[in-house]
Amino acid sequence: MSTAVESAVTELRGMIVNGELPISERITESSAGNLLGISRTPARSALSQLESEGLLIKLEGRGYKIRPFSFADLEKATEVRSVLEGIAAGRLASMGPSEEATVAIEKSIAMTEAIISRDAVTKREIAVYQEANEIYHSAIVDTCGNDFVGQSLERIANIPIIAPGAFTEVEGMAQAEMLRMTVGHSQHVIIWDAIRSRDPVRAESMMREHAGAPIRYAKLFIGDGYQRKLMTTGIVNREDVPKT
Amino acid sequence: MSTAVESAVTELRGMIVNGELPISERITESSAGNLLGISRTPARSALSQLESEGLLIKLEGRGYKIRPFSFADLEKATEVRSVLEGIAAGRLASMGPSEEATVAIEKSIAMTEAIISRDAVTKREIAVYQEANEIYHSAIVDTCGNDFVGQSLERIANIPIIAPGAFTEVEGMAQAEMLRMTVGHSQHVIIWDAIRSRDPVRAESMMREHAGAPIRYAKLFIGDGYQRKLMTTGIVNREDVPKT
DNA sequence: ATGTCAAATTATGCATCCGTAATTGACTAA
DNA sequence: TTAGTCAATTACGGATGCATAATTTGACAT
């Protein structure tokens, strides 16, 4: 929250992904500036940054609009994320994990194990799971020895649901959540085993499967409910949601 | 070349990758502005954009410096590029190539075939080969149906030697160039066959091998000469060049 | 009522100015 | 000689004003 530009980016990004800004509405330098109480100069930087992140689309001469994501877009972004995280896991298996990575990953696994061994889960447990998931994935990406992987991931990491931490809860789907967490945990264990065993091929392919899981299993285990949930956040185009 | 920011980015990027700016020198908003005859406002935007591209590093409070790339960095960027282009090729094989893609790719193959069937190559042929190579790779990436692939590639595409077009010529290495072009052409043919045969696995794995080729084969077929050449461009750190 | 043209509004891009923070360099004291 | 403090320069972030381009609106004519 130091500079106006940084906080503007954070602020606007939050408003966009939470659907607090009407998708239809145009955003200009002035309107964004007024909204956040800053002048046009930092507002312009913030908008152009969000455009390069892919969250805004520039309407030449008429401001920006929020980029509408279709469900297909989310799947495509996930595909890229899976592949990138896959090479991160593969690299880590080749190199051997650092002490730092080992500590973080084993901590994450301990956290998720504690959660799935319970009978029922509350919102609180889901939040902890998300945190653990975030730790697991960033430990692998950050210590894989190839900065370009993390750099490329940053671009698509801001798209909701795609990010590792965004293990979005679906209302009234506690059982389905539990199932997803159990599956996720088991995959974490398997991938970590592959890494420790220095098996890059297995680590890569398992991570590739796993990183694509949130969106794939959303369809597989939950079905339309997930898409409908996404729609309400304004992230997904109405048109993409199956008619009921 | 319309706005000052755009031309400043292009200008500065060119100067950086061509080694026209001393790597040691600090770049501030004012110095960049003076250099290009623009004020600090567009200079600031340009610098921050180049930073997000990974070509500059921000020295908090003291301007920017040119990011030094090690040979290892180039290899890592290539690794990411290979994987991303791999999924593009795989997707194209799954979907079946569009008419547009087919035309572009077959044109590219015809161009490279014409070149390698000659006895000797001049600078001119090498330039044509680069163009054909560029056509081939961008046809696959642009028509693969996943925009995020191209978007992610843009980030690392600016790193010299990594970009498909950057099939840099090494002085006095005409024979080695010829070999690389022949190998490259044959891989293009093979990948295209895999795509047309709707074999995503083969298309992906071959493309992954092929996209990593420039830097891998540089070592394999040319050896130290290549690294020394890179050094003279200022792209690669002196320290990385093997002692002779 | 519709189409066309002009004026006004809107939005952007860029330059300049100001306030602030940080670094550097010089001077003094131990 | 060295260390510490203070001042000056440097650099940045942000606000504002102006020029330009584009879009929209409104008026007028057909």
Side-chain angles (χ1 to χ4, degrees):
Chain A
M1 289 290 174
S2 41
T3 76
V5 175
E6 287 166 37
S7 45
V9 169
T10 310
E11 203 84 24
L12 287 172
R13 186 161 48 213
M15 295 175 89
I16 292 169
V17 305
N18 294 324
E20 291 164 21
L21 286 176
I23 320 185
S24 50
E25 204 161 298
R26 274 173 38 212
I27 305 171
T28 64
E29 295 178 2
S30 332
S31 73
N34 292 337
L35 185 66
L36 303 171
I38 55 179
S39 83
R40 279 178 42 224
T41 307
R44 176 199 322 232
S45 305
L47 290 178
S48 102
Q49 194 173 322
L50 289 169
E51 188 209 357
S52 90
E53 281 182 14
L55 252 50
L56 291 178
I57 293 174
K58 189 161 196 172
L59 309 167
E60 216 60 51
R62 298 188 303 118
Y64 296 83
K65 67 167 186 175
I66 295 175
R67 167 167 178 183
F69 285 106
S70 65
F71 196 77
D73 284 332
L74 301 185
E75 288 179 319
K76 288 168 184 171
T78 300
E79 183 180 10
V80 172
R81 181 168 95 86
S82 308
V83 172
L84 290 172
E85 290 206 21
I87 58 173
R91 285 186 62 93
L92 207 57
S94 300
M95 296 165 27
S98 67
E99 184 57 37
E100 179 199 352
T102 305
V103 170
I105 291 170
E106 294 190 337
K107 180 188 166 197
S108 163
I109 289 178
M111 285 168 77
T112 51
E113 178 153 26
I115 290 168
I116 62 149
S117 59
R118 303 191 172 212
D119 291 337
V121 289
T122 65
K123 278 183 192 297
R124 192 178 162 68
E125 268 86 43
I126 292 176
V128 174
Y129 185 92
Q130 287 184 18
E131 193 199 334
N133 199 35
E134 170 72 36
I135 291 170
Y136 187 90
H137 285 266
S138 51
I140 289 176
V141 171
D142 295 344
T143 67
C144 78
N146 186 336
D147 298 339
F148 297 98
V149 174
Q151 186 183 307
S152 299
L153 277 168
E154 267 174 35
R155 279 241 175 157
I156 51 176
N158 294 312
I159 301 170
I161 296 81
I162 303 306
F167 195 88
T168 319
E169 182 203 6
V170 179
E171 307 289 344
M173 298 265 184
Q175 203 178 350
E177 288 299 306
M178 192 67 188
L179 178 56
R180 286 169 64 202
M181 289 195 289
T182 307
V183 173
H185 167 77
S186 71
Q187 290 175 334
H188 283 188
V189 171
I190 292 167
I191 295 163
W192 178 228
D193 176 62
I195 291 171
R196 265 186 317 185
S197 318
R198 311 294 290 270
D199 186 341
V201 174
R202 190 159 70 104
E204 174 171 354
S205 65
M206 286 307 298
M207 179 56 108
R208 204 156 151 172
E209 169 67 21
H210 170 65
I215 201 140
R216 203 162 334 114
Y217 297 175
K219 288 169 99 172
L220 205 58
F221 295 141
I222 307 186
D224 290 353
Y226 199 72
Q227 293 193 30
R228 221 168 289 117
K229 166 78 179 176
L230 293 182
M231 187 197 76
T232 65
T233 66
I235 296 154
V236 167
N237 295 350
R238 275 183 175 275
E239 308 85 59
D240 295 307
V241 178
K243 287 146 195 86
T244 42
Chain B
M1 292 291 172
S2 41
T3 76
V5 175
E6 288 167 38
S7 44
V9 168
T10 310
E11 203 84 23
L12 288 172
R13 184 160 50 214
M15 296 174 89
I16 292 169
V17 304
N18 293 325
E20 291 163 22
L21 286 176
I23 317 187
S24 50
E25 204 161 298
R26 272 174 38 211
I27 305 171
T28 65
E29 295 177 1
S30 332
S31 72
N34 291 339
L35 186 65
L36 303 171
I38 56 178
S39 82
R40 277 179 45 221
T41 307
R44 171 149 73 216
S45 304
L47 291 177
S48 102
Q49 194 173 323
L50 289 169
E51 187 209 357
S52 91
E53 281 182 15
L55 252 50
L56 291 178
I57 293 173
K58 188 161 195 171
L59 309 167
E60 216 59 51
R62 297 187 303 115
Y64 295 83
K65 66 167 186 174
I66 296 175
R67 167 167 178 184
F69 285 105
S70 65
F71 196 77
D73 285 331
L74 300 185
E75 288 180 318
K76 288 169 185 170
T78 300
E79 184 180 9
V80 172
R81 181 168 97 85
S82 308
V83 171
L84 289 173
E85 292 206 20
I87 57 173
R91 284 185 63 93
L92 207 57
S94 300
M95 296 165 27
S98 66
E99 184 58 36
E100 178 199 354
T102 304
V103 170
I105 291 169
E106 294 190 337
K107 179 187 166 196
S108 163
I109 289 179
M111 285 168 78
T112 52
E113 178 154 26
I115 290 168
I116 62 149
S117 60
R118 302 190 173 212
D119 292 338
V121 290
T122 65
K123 279 182 191 298
R124 192 177 161 68
E125 269 85 43
I126 291 176
V128 174
Y129 184 93
Q130 287 183 21
E131 194 198 333
N133 200 34
E134 170 71 35
I135 290 170
Y136 187 90
H137 285 266
S138 51
I140 289 175
V141 170
D142 295 344
T143 67
C144 78
N146 186 335
D147 299 339
F148 297 98
V149 174
Q151 186 184 307
S152 299
L153 276 168
E154 266 174 36
R155 279 243 175 156
I156 52 176
N158 294 312
I159 301 169
I161 295 81
I162 303 308
F167 196 88
T168 320
E169 182 203 4
V170 179
E171 307 288 344
M173 298 265 184
Q175 203 179 350
E177 288 298 306
M178 192 66 189
L179 178 56
R180 285 170 63 203
M181 290 195 290
T182 307
V183 173
H185 167 77
S186 71
Q187 290 175 334
H188 283 187
V189 171
I190 291 167
I191 294 163
W192 178 228
D193 176 61
I195 290 171
R196 265 185 319 184
S197 317
R198 312 293 291 269
D199 186 340
V201 174
R202 190 160 70 103
E204 175 172 354
S205 66
M206 286 307 298
M207 179 56 109
R208 207 157 150 170
E209 169 67 21
H210 170 64
I215 202 140
R216 203 162 332 113
Y217 297 175
K219 287 169 102 170
L220 204 57
F221 295 142
I222 307 184
D224 291 353
Y226 199 72
Q227 293 192 29
R228 221 168 290 118
K229 166 77 179 177
L230 292 182
M231 189 196 76
T232 64
T233 66
I235 296 154
V236 167
N237 295 351
R238 273 181 178 279
E239 308 85 59
D240 296 307
V241 178
K243 287 143 194 91
T244 43

Short mmCIF file of all heavy atoms in Angstrom, two decimals, chain A residues 171-218:
data_model
loop_
_atom_site.label_atom_id
_atom_site.label_comp_id
_atom_site.label_asym_id
_atom_site.label_seq_id
_atom_site.Cartn_x
_atom_site.Cartn_y
_atom_site.Cartn_z
N GLU A 171 -21.31 -22.77 -2.00
CA GLU A 171 -22.31 -22.81 -0.92
C GLU A 171 -23.05 -24.15 -0.90
O GLU A 171 -23.46 -24.65 -1.93
CB GLU A 171 -23.34 -21.69 -1.11
CG GLU A 171 -22.76 -20.30 -1.28
CD GLU A 171 -22.16 -19.76 0.00
OE1 GLU A 171 -22.46 -20.33 1.07
OE2 GLU A 171 -21.38 -18.79 -0.07
N GLY A 172 -23.19 -24.65 0.28
CA GLY A 172 -24.01 -25.85 0.44
C GLY A 172 -23.45 -27.08 -0.25
O GLY A 172 -24.15 -28.00 -0.62
N MET A 173 -22.12 -27.06 -0.43
CA MET A 173 -21.51 -28.18 -1.13
C MET A 173 -20.39 -28.76 -0.27
O MET A 173 -19.36 -29.15 -0.78
CB MET A 173 -20.92 -27.71 -2.47
CG MET A 173 -21.94 -27.15 -3.45
SD MET A 173 -22.50 -28.40 -4.59
CE MET A 173 -23.55 -27.42 -5.67
N ALA A 174 -20.63 -28.75 1.01
CA ALA A 174 -19.57 -29.14 1.95
C ALA A 174 -19.01 -30.52 1.62
O ALA A 174 -17.80 -30.73 1.67
CB ALA A 174 -20.11 -29.11 3.38
N GLN A 175 -19.90 -31.41 1.26
CA GLN A 175 -19.44 -32.77 0.98
C GLN A 175 -18.53 -32.79 -0.25
O GLN A 175 -17.49 -33.45 -0.25
CB GLN A 175 -20.67 -33.65 0.73
CG GLN A 175 -20.39 -35.13 1.00
CD GLN A 175 -21.64 -35.97 0.79
OE1 GLN A 175 -22.73 -35.40 0.64
NE2 GLN A 175 -21.48 -37.28 0.77
N ALA A 176 -18.94 -32.05 -1.26
CA ALA A 176 -18.13 -31.97 -2.46
C ALA A 176 -16.77 -31.32 -2.16
O ALA A 176 -15.73 -31.75 -2.64
CB ALA A 176 -18.86 -31.17 -3.54
N GLU A 177 -16.79 -30.30 -1.33
CA GLU A 177 -15.54 -29.64 -0.94
C GLU A 177 -14.61 -30.64 -0.26
O GLU A 177 -13.41 -30.69 -0.53
CB GLU A 177 -15.83 -28.50 0.05
CG GLU A 177 -16.49 -27.29 -0.56
CD GLU A 177 -15.62 -26.65 -1.63
OE1 GLU A 177 -14.46 -26.33 -1.35
OE2 GLU A 177 -16.11 -26.51 -2.76
N MET A 178 -15.19 -31.42 0.62
CA MET A 178 -14.41 -32.41 1.37
C MET A 178 -13.75 -33.38 0.41
O MET A 178 -12.57 -33.70 0.55
CB MET A 178 -15.38 -33.16 2.31
CG MET A 178 -14.66 -34.01 3.33
SD MET A 178 -13.76 -32.98 4.52
CE MET A 178 -12.87 -34.26 5.41
N LEU A 179 -14.53 -33.79 -0.58
CA LEU A 179 -14.00 -34.71 -1.57
C LEU A 179 -12.85 -34.07 -2.34
O LEU A 179 -11.79 -34.67 -2.53
CB LEU A 179 -15.13 -35.12 -2.52
CG LEU A 179 -14.76 -36.05 -3.68
CD1 LEU A 179 -14.13 -37.33 -3.14
CD2 LEU A 179 -16.00 -36.39 -4.50
N ARG A 180 -13.05 -32.84 -2.75
CA ARG A 180 -12.00 -32.16 -3.51
C ARG A 180 -10.74 -31.99 -2.67
O ARG A 180 -9.62 -32.14 -3.16
CB ARG A 180 -12.49 -30.79 -3.98
CG ARG A 180 -13.47 -30.86 -5.14
CD ARG A 180 -14.12 -29.53 -5.40
NE ARG A 180 -13.16 -28.52 -5.82
CZ ARG A 180 -13.37 -27.21 -5.71
NH1 ARG A 180 -14.49 -26.76 -5.17
NH2 ARG A 180 -12.47 -26.36 -6.12
N MET A 181 -10.93 -31.66 -1.41
CA MET A 181 -9.76 -31.48 -0.55
C MET A 181 -9.02 -32.79 -0.35
O MET A 181 -7.79 -32.83 -0.33
CB MET A 181 -10.19 -30.88 0.79
CG MET A 181 -10.62 -29.42 0.66
SD MET A 181 -10.71 -28.55 2.23
CE MET A 181 -12.13 -29.32 2.95
N THR A 182 -9.78 -33.86 -0.20
CA THR A 182 -9.15 -35.17 -0.01
C THR A 182 -8.35 -35.57 -1.25
O THR A 182 -7.21 -36.02 -1.15
CB THR A 182 -10.23 -36.24 0.28
OG1 THR A 182 -11.04 -35.79 1.35
CG2 THR A 182 -9.58 -37.56 0.63
N VAL A 183 -8.97 -35.37 -2.39
CA VAL A 183 -8.27 -35.69 -3.64
C VAL A 183 -7.03 -34.81 -3.78
O VAL A 183 -5.94 -35.29 -4.11
CB VAL A 183 -9.21 -35.50 -4.86
CG1 VAL A 183 -8.43 -35.66 -6.15
CG2 VAL A 183 -10.36 -36.48 -4.80
N GLY A 184 -7.21 -33.54 -3.52
CA GLY A 184 -6.10 -32.59 -3.63
C GLY A 184 -4.94 -32.97 -2.72
O GLY A 184 -3.77 -33.00 -3.13
N HIS A 185 -5.28 -33.30 -1.49
CA HIS A 185 -4.25 -33.69 -0.53
C HIS A 185 -3.49 -34.91 -1.02
O HIS A 185 -2.26 -34.96 -0.97
CB HIS A 185 -4.88 -33.97 0.84
CG HIS A 185 -3.97 -34.66 1.79
ND1 HIS A 185 -2.95 -33.99 2.45
CD2 HIS A 185 -3.88 -35.96 2.17
CE1 HIS A 185 -2.30 -34.87 3.21
NE2 HIS A 185 -2.84 -36.06 3.05
N SER A 186 -4.22 -35.89 -1.49
CA SER A 186 -3.56 -37.12 -1.93
C SER A 186 -2.62 -36.83 -3.10
O SER A 186 -1.52 -37.38 -3.19
CB SER A 186 -4.59 -38.19 -2.31
OG SER A 186 -5.23 -37.82 -3.52
N GLN A 187 -3.04 -35.92 -3.96
CA GLN A 187 -2.16 -35.57 -5.07
C GLN A 187 -0.92 -34.84 -4.59
O GLN A 187 0.18 -35.05 -5.10
CB GLN A 187 -2.94 -34.74 -6.10
CG GLN A 187 -3.99 -35.56 -6.83
CD GLN A 187 -4.84 -34.73 -7.75
OE1 GLN A 187 -5.02 -33.53 -7.53
NE2 GLN A 187 -5.39 -35.36 -8.78
N HIS A 188 -1.09 -33.99 -3.59
CA HIS A 188 0.08 -33.32 -3.02
C HIS A 188 1.08 -34.34 -2.50
O HIS A 188 2.29 -34.22 -2.70
CB HIS A 188 -0.35 -32.39 -1.88
CG HIS A 188 -0.98 -31.11 -2.34
ND1 HIS A 188 -1.29 -30.09 -1.49
CD2 HIS A 188 -1.32 -30.68 -3.58
CE1 HIS A 188 -1.82 -29.09 -2.17
NE2 HIS A 188 -1.85 -29.42 -3.44
N VAL A 189 0.55 -35.34 -1.82
CA VAL A 189 1.42 -36.38 -1.25
C VAL A 189 2.16 -37.12 -2.37
O VAL A 189 3.37 -37.35 -2.30
CB VAL A 189 0.60 -37.37 -0.40
CG1 VAL A 189 1.45 -38.56 0.01
CG2 VAL A 189 0.04 -36.66 0.83
N ILE A 190 1.40 -37.46 -3.41
CA ILE A 190 1.99 -38.22 -4.52
C ILE A 190 3.08 -37.40 -5.22
O ILE A 190 4.17 -37.90 -5.51
CB ILE A 190 0.90 -38.64 -5.52
CG1 ILE A 190 -0.03 -39.68 -4.87
CG2 ILE A 190 1.50 -39.17 -6.82
CD1 ILE A 190 -1.31 -39.94 -5.65
N ILE A 191 2.78 -36.14 -5.49
CA ILE A 191 3.75 -35.30 -6.19
C ILE A 191 5.00 -35.12 -5.35
O ILE A 191 6.13 -35.18 -5.85
CB ILE A 191 3.13 -33.93 -6.55
CG1 ILE A 191 2.00 -34.12 -7.56
CG2 ILE A 191 4.18 -32.98 -7.11
CD1 ILE A 191 1.07 -32.92 -7.68
N TRP A 192 4.80 -34.93 -4.08
CA TRP A 192 5.95 -34.74 -3.19
C TRP A 192 6.80 -36.01 -3.15
O TRP A 192 8.03 -35.96 -3.15
CB TRP A 192 5.46 -34.34 -1.78
CG TRP A 192 6.55 -34.18 -0.77
CD1 TRP A 192 6.58 -34.69 0.48
CD2 TRP A 192 7.77 -33.42 -0.92
NE1 TRP A 192 7.73 -34.32 1.12
CE2 TRP A 192 8.49 -33.55 0.29
CE3 TRP A 192 8.32 -32.67 -1.95
CZ2 TRP A 192 9.73 -32.94 0.50
CZ3 TRP A 192 9.57 -32.07 -1.75
CH2 TRP A 192 10.24 -32.20 -0.54
N ASP A 193 6.14 -37.15 -3.17
CA ASP A 193 6.88 -38.42 -3.22
C ASP A 193 7.70 -38.51 -4.50
O ASP A 193 8.87 -38.90 -4.48
CB ASP A 193 5.91 -39.60 -3.14
CG ASP A 193 6.64 -40.92 -3.28
OD1 ASP A 193 7.48 -41.21 -2.42
OD2 ASP A 193 6.38 -41.65 -4.27
N ALA A 194 7.09 -38.10 -5.61
CA ALA A 194 7.81 -38.15 -6.89
C ALA A 194 9.02 -37.21 -6.86
O ALA A 194 10.09 -37.54 -7.37
CB ALA A 194 6.88 -37.77 -8.04
N ILE A 195 8.84 -36.06 -6.24
CA ILE A 195 9.95 -35.10 -6.16
C ILE A 195 11.08 -35.66 -5.31
O ILE A 195 12.24 -35.64 -5.69
CB ILE A 195 9.46 -33.76 -5.60
CG1 ILE A 195 8.55 -33.05 -6.62
CG2 ILE A 195 10.65 -32.85 -5.24
CD1 ILE A 195 7.84 -31.82 -6.09
N ARG A 196 10.70 -36.19 -4.14
CA ARG A 196 11.73 -36.73 -3.25
C ARG A 196 12.43 -37.93 -3.87
O ARG A 196 13.60 -38.19 -3.63
CB ARG A 196 11.10 -37.14 -1.92
CG ARG A 196 11.20 -36.06 -0.87
CD ARG A 196 10.69 -36.60 0.44
NE ARG A 196 9.45 -37.39 0.20
CZ ARG A 196 8.73 -37.91 1.17
NH1 ARG A 196 9.09 -37.74 2.43
NH2 ARG A 196 7.65 -38.60 0.89
N SER A 197 11.67 -38.69 -4.66
CA SER A 197 12.26 -39.86 -5.33
C SER A 197 13.06 -39.47 -6.56
O SER A 197 13.53 -40.34 -7.28
CB SER A 197 11.16 -40.84 -5.76
OG SER A 197 10.20 -40.98 -4.76
N ARG A 198 13.13 -38.17 -6.81
CA ARG A 198 13.87 -37.66 -7.97
C ARG A 198 13.35 -38.27 -9.26
O ARG A 198 14.13 -38.72 -10.10
CB ARG A 198 15.37 -37.94 -7.80
CG ARG A 198 15.94 -37.54 -6.45
CD ARG A 198 15.91 -36.05 -6.26
NE ARG A 198 16.85 -35.39 -7.14
CZ ARG A 198 18.10 -35.13 -6.81
NH1 ARG A 198 18.54 -35.46 -5.61
NH2 ARG A 198 18.91 -34.51 -7.64
N ASP A 199 12.03 -38.23 -9.39
CA ASP A 199 11.41 -38.76 -10.60
C ASP A 199 10.71 -37.62 -11.34
O ASP A 199 9.53 -37.35 -11.14
CB ASP A 199 10.39 -39.84 -10.20
CG ASP A 199 9.78 -40.55 -11.40
OD1 ASP A 199 9.85 -40.01 -12.52
OD2 ASP A 199 9.23 -41.64 -11.22
N PRO A 200 11.45 -36.92 -12.20
CA PRO A 200 10.91 -35.72 -12.85
C PRO A 200 9.69 -36.00 -13.72
O PRO A 200 8.76 -35.20 -13.75
CB PRO A 200 12.06 -35.22 -13.72
CG PRO A 200 13.27 -35.94 -13.26
CD PRO A 200 12.82 -37.22 -12.66
N VAL A 201 9.70 -37.12 -14.41
CA VAL A 201 8.59 -37.40 -15.32
C VAL A 201 7.29 -37.57 -14.54
O VAL A 201 6.26 -36.98 -14.87
CB VAL A 201 8.89 -38.66 -16.16
CG1 VAL A 201 7.67 -39.02 -17.00
CG2 VAL A 201 10.10 -38.43 -17.04
N ARG A 202 7.37 -38.35 -13.46
CA ARG A 202 6.17 -38.57 -12.66
C ARG A 202 5.76 -37.27 -11.96
O ARG A 202 4.58 -36.92 -11.91
CB ARG A 202 6.43 -39.66 -11.62
CG ARG A 202 5.15 -40.11 -10.91
CD ARG A 202 5.31 -41.50 -10.29
NE ARG A 202 6.20 -41.49 -9.13
CZ ARG A 202 5.78 -41.55 -7.87
NH1 ARG A 202 4.50 -41.59 -7.59
NH2 ARG A 202 6.64 -41.54 -6.89
N ALA A 203 6.74 -36.54 -11.45
CA ALA A 203 6.43 -35.28 -10.77
C ALA A 203 5.73 -34.34 -11.73
O ALA A 203 4.71 -33.72 -11.40
CB ALA A 203 7.71 -34.64 -10.22
N GLU A 204 6.27 -34.24 -12.94
CA GLU A 204 5.68 -33.32 -13.90
C GLU A 204 4.27 -33.72 -14.29
O GLU A 204 3.35 -32.90 -14.29
CB GLU A 204 6.55 -33.19 -15.15
CG GLU A 204 5.87 -32.33 -16.21
CD GLU A 204 6.76 -31.99 -17.40
OE1 GLU A 204 7.96 -32.30 -17.39
OE2 GLU A 204 6.22 -31.36 -18.34
N SER A 205 4.10 -34.98 -14.62
CA SER A 205 2.79 -35.37 -15.13
C SER A 205 1.74 -35.33 -14.03
O SER A 205 0.60 -34.93 -14.26
CB SER A 205 2.85 -36.76 -15.78
OG SER A 205 3.16 -37.73 -14.81
N MET A 206 2.14 -35.68 -12.82
CA MET A 206 1.16 -35.62 -11.73
C MET A 206 0.80 -34.17 -11.40
O MET A 206 -0.34 -33.86 -11.11
CB MET A 206 1.71 -36.32 -10.47
CG MET A 206 1.72 -37.84 -10.55
SD MET A 206 0.11 -38.54 -11.01
CE MET A 206 -0.90 -38.00 -9.64
N MET A 207 1.79 -33.31 -11.44
CA MET A 207 1.50 -31.91 -11.16
C MET A 207 0.62 -31.32 -12.25
O MET A 207 -0.26 -30.52 -11.98
CB MET A 207 2.80 -31.11 -11.03
CG MET A 207 2.57 -29.64 -10.76
SD MET A 207 1.57 -29.30 -9.28
CE MET A 207 2.83 -28.69 -8.19
N ARG A 208 0.87 -31.76 -13.44
CA ARG A 208 0.07 -31.26 -14.55
C ARG A 208 -1.39 -31.65 -14.37
O ARG A 208 -2.29 -30.86 -14.61
CB ARG A 208 0.63 -31.86 -15.84
CG ARG A 208 0.32 -31.05 -17.05
CD ARG A 208 1.34 -31.31 -18.12
NE ARG A 208 0.75 -31.12 -19.43
CZ ARG A 208 1.43 -31.14 -20.57
NH1 ARG A 208 2.74 -31.33 -20.54
NH2 ARG A 208 0.84 -30.95 -21.71
N GLU A 209 -1.59 -32.86 -13.93
CA GLU A 209 -2.95 -33.31 -13.65
C GLU A 209 -3.54 -32.52 -12.48
O GLU A 209 -4.66 -32.04 -12.53
CB GLU A 209 -2.94 -34.80 -13.31
CG GLU A 209 -4.23 -35.35 -12.74
CD GLU A 209 -5.38 -35.34 -13.75
OE1 GLU A 209 -5.11 -35.30 -14.96
OE2 GLU A 209 -6.55 -35.37 -13.31
N HIS A 210 -2.73 -32.38 -11.46
CA HIS A 210 -3.22 -31.77 -10.23
C HIS A 210 -3.54 -30.29 -10.38
O HIS A 210 -4.56 -29.81 -9.89
CB HIS A 210 -2.19 -31.96 -9.11
CG HIS A 210 -2.49 -31.17 -7.88
ND1 HIS A 210 -3.61 -31.39 -7.11
CD2 HIS A 210 -1.85 -30.13 -7.31
CE1 HIS A 210 -3.62 -30.54 -6.10
NE2 HIS A 210 -2.58 -29.76 -6.20
N ALA A 211 -2.67 -29.57 -11.06
CA ALA A 211 -2.88 -28.12 -11.18
C ALA A 211 -4.10 -27.80 -12.02
O ALA A 211 -4.70 -26.75 -11.89
CB ALA A 211 -1.64 -27.45 -11.76
N GLY A 212 -4.46 -28.74 -12.86
CA GLY A 212 -5.65 -28.54 -13.66
C GLY A 212 -6.91 -28.95 -12.93
O GLY A 212 -8.01 -28.78 -13.44
N ALA A 213 -6.71 -29.50 -11.74
CA ALA A 213 -7.82 -30.11 -11.01
C ALA A 213 -8.96 -29.16 -10.64
O ALA A 213 -10.12 -29.50 -10.89
CB ALA A 213 -7.30 -30.81 -9.77
N PRO A 214 -8.65 -28.00 -10.08
CA PRO A 214 -9.75 -27.18 -9.57
C PRO A 214 -10.89 -27.05 -10.57
O PRO A 214 -12.04 -27.24 -10.22
CB PRO A 214 -9.09 -25.83 -9.31
CG PRO A 214 -7.68 -26.16 -9.02
CD PRO A 214 -7.36 -27.37 -9.84
N ILE A 215 -10.52 -26.74 -11.77
CA ILE A 215 -11.58 -26.47 -12.74
C ILE A 215 -12.14 -27.75 -13.35
O ILE A 215 -13.32 -27.87 -13.63
CB ILE A 215 -11.08 -25.49 -13.82
CG1 ILE A 215 -12.25 -24.80 -14.50
CG2 ILE A 215 -10.18 -26.16 -14.83
CD1 ILE A 215 -12.00 -23.35 -14.76
N ARG A 216 -11.25 -28.74 -13.50
CA ARG A 216 -11.71 -29.99 -14.10
C ARG A 216 -12.65 -30.73 -13.15
O ARG A 216 -13.71 -31.20 -13.54
CB ARG A 216 -10.50 -30.85 -14.47
CG ARG A 216 -10.81 -31.84 -15.55
CD ARG A 216 -9.56 -32.39 -16.24
NE ARG A 216 -8.39 -31.54 -16.21
CZ ARG A 216 -7.29 -31.83 -15.56
NH1 ARG A 216 -7.19 -32.93 -14.85
NH2 ARG A 216 -6.26 -31.01 -15.60
N TYR A 217 -12.22 -30.80 -11.91
CA TYR A 217 -13.02 -31.52 -10.92
C TYR A 217 -14.27 -30.74 -10.54
O TYR A 217 -15.25 -31.32 -10.10
CB TYR A 217 -12.19 -31.85 -9.69
CG TYR A 217 -11.03 -32.77 -9.99
CD1 TYR A 217 -10.10 -33.10 -9.02
CD2 TYR A 217 -10.86 -33.33 -11.26
CE1 TYR A 217 -9.04 -33.94 -9.29
CE2 TYR A 217 -9.80 -34.16 -11.55
CZ TYR A 217 -8.88 -34.47 -10.56
OH TYR A 217 -7.83 -35.28 -10.83
N ALA A 218 -14.18 -29.43 -10.74
CA ALA A 218 -15.37 -28.64 -10.50
C ALA A 218 -16.50 -29.16 -11.37
O ALA A 218 -17.64 -29.32 -10.92
CB ALA A 218 -15.10 -27.17 -10.80
#
